[in-house]
Amino acid sequence: MTIAWWQILLLTLYAGYQILDELQINSSAGSAVFAGFISGLIMGDLKTGLYIGGMMQLTILGVGTFGGASRIDANSGTVLATAFAVSVGMDPKQAMAAIAVPVAALMIQTDILGRFANTYFAHKIDKDIENFQYKKIERHFLMGAISWSLSRMLPVFLALAFGGGLVSKVVGYLNGDLKWLGDGLSVAGAVLPAVGFAILLRYLPVKKNFAYLILGFVITAILTTIFGNIQTLGTSVMGLDKTLVANFNSLPMLAIALIGLALAYISYKNNTEKEQAPKAPAESAAVNNNSEGEIEDDEL
Amino acid sequence: MTNSNKTKTTGYKLTAADFKQINRRSLFGFQLGWNYERMQGSGYLYTILPQLRKLYGDDTPELKRMMKLHAQFFNTSNFFNTIVTGIDLALEEEEGEKSAETVNGIKTGLMGPFAAIGDAIFGALVPAIFGAIAADMAVKGNPLGVLIWVIACIAIMIFRWSQLKFAYREGTQLVTTMQHRLNALTAAATQLGVFMVGALVATMINVKIAWAPMIGDVKVDLQNNLDMLLPRLLPAVIVLGIYWMLGKKSMTSTKAIFIVLFISIALSALGVISK
């Protein structure tokens, strides 16, 4: 199956829109998991899209737009990986490690280009201020949207339109002579979320909140093992006994989040109540801790 | 300062329609002009340009001076920028061009702290919590989590919309009165974030040790031994290893991603780890 022209068009349009969304209204349409959702819909394979988007989301969990530094563009990576995974029939885990990650890293360059282009418009605005040309100030400002969008749309379009042949050749090798590499890419795809978690821990004041890290990990590790074992047990018992009909779901993440929320709420209450009594200049909390060990720059 | 003749403004007072316009421009346009030289500078000017024109009158030297001032370097969290705008406009409306230095001080003084809080909450925590829930469900093939995140984002948009008027009313006092509340909130939010990362480490990294050495003629199932110690120990060790690596000098997140990619492929090829 090849990618139809209308699919290329829609995916390219989304690539242009997602960066604007992330910069502006931030509806989460500019997130990797949403990118997977939408490209899955467009390509007619929601499951693959959601999988790649979900895994990419976890990989870049901590990579926010810190200090305006250019960062890995997981969304364009997800769009391309989903498109090719569906059209060439690639294993989603392999597509994530072999396409989404390298593409996401390469796209940092076009992001930098886009930001440079906007410097030109900023100087135009200086001139407009001198001349009291209010409409032009606004127009030159809004033109920034073009450089932002094109920095994503052009590479995505070119890759979708001309990359298919190359990708199917690579997939042929990964399933044939280079099977070890194909398997390795799948394993890498499974490990990559660890980077996202580690980055996030770098940004959070983890030393001060180490107890919460242990609680979150141990509670979930135990519960996910129990849920997993019950699932395995249930499915095999259902295979033996046809009269047993039940749904064995996996551990819901929302429930875990609520336990965390309760713990955080208790400490918030304690903190604000302590503060009812007038007190000397507030010690600056959490935020300051971020500075230690923070990653200064996300650029390559 | 009470002598309004000296302020050289038109005496215009901001209305509800003005706030609406600023919010609309902030929400849909604030960062479009982002560039390396002045970052959000032109964005700041763009959001309040119509109000500046009303306050100082078109084609006046005062307007030019303030337009130039507002086009200078500015960079803060785009989730909190209208708090700065609100305090700024309250001042300018009162004191006009004379407030230029104070306004400049407030802008440069506030952009740092708000950038830090904004990045901590909206750059790290919200994606950690809602992104994690969405990703967790997505990987299992369920799009519902994506929807939950969108709903959370809409709630955040409403919050962003509401803060301008609030900041305008409270003015400069806001920063001192809110300081403690904000600190407590950030502290609680970070605790939740750290908790969630722990939970994610335990669920989302699905690799195990495939290597099973023979001791004598007994095959040692390393993975099973680890599981008896503590389930999911391997993912925890991996994350701690990467955490340590990220603390190295000149290490970037992008480099780290590629290092992990290559090491995983190598270990998989050697048969040490598998899915």
Side-chain angles (χ1 to χ4, degrees), chain A residues 49 61 117:
Chain A
L61 212 50

Side-chain angles (χ1 to χ4, degrees), chain A residues 23-25 58 115 118-119 123 126 130 134 138 141 148 202 217 220 250 253 267 275 298-299, chain B residues 25 28-32 34 37-38 59 63 68 78 136 140 160 180 191 199 204 232 243 253:
Chain A
L23 286 170
Q24 311 297 338
I25 61 169
L58 295 171
R115 288 171 192 243
N118 277 350
T119 313
H123 285 281
D126 285 345
E130 285 303 324
Y134 312 107
E138 298 186 351
F141 174 73
W148 277 115
R202 277 276 160 202
F217 175 74
T220 319
S250 54
M253 212 50 170
S267 99
E275 220 33 54
D298 277 334
E299 285 168 42
Chain B
R25 285 185 172 217
F28 296 103
F30 184 55
Q31 295 199 91
L32 289 180
W34 202 102
E37 197 183 310
R38 319 244 184 95
D59 303 343
L63 177 63
K68 272 187 185 161
N78 59 324
D136 174 60
K140 292 171 187 157
R160 286 164 75 184
H180 180 68
Q191 280 155 4
M204 298 312 299
R232 302 283 168 167
Y243 178 84
S253 53

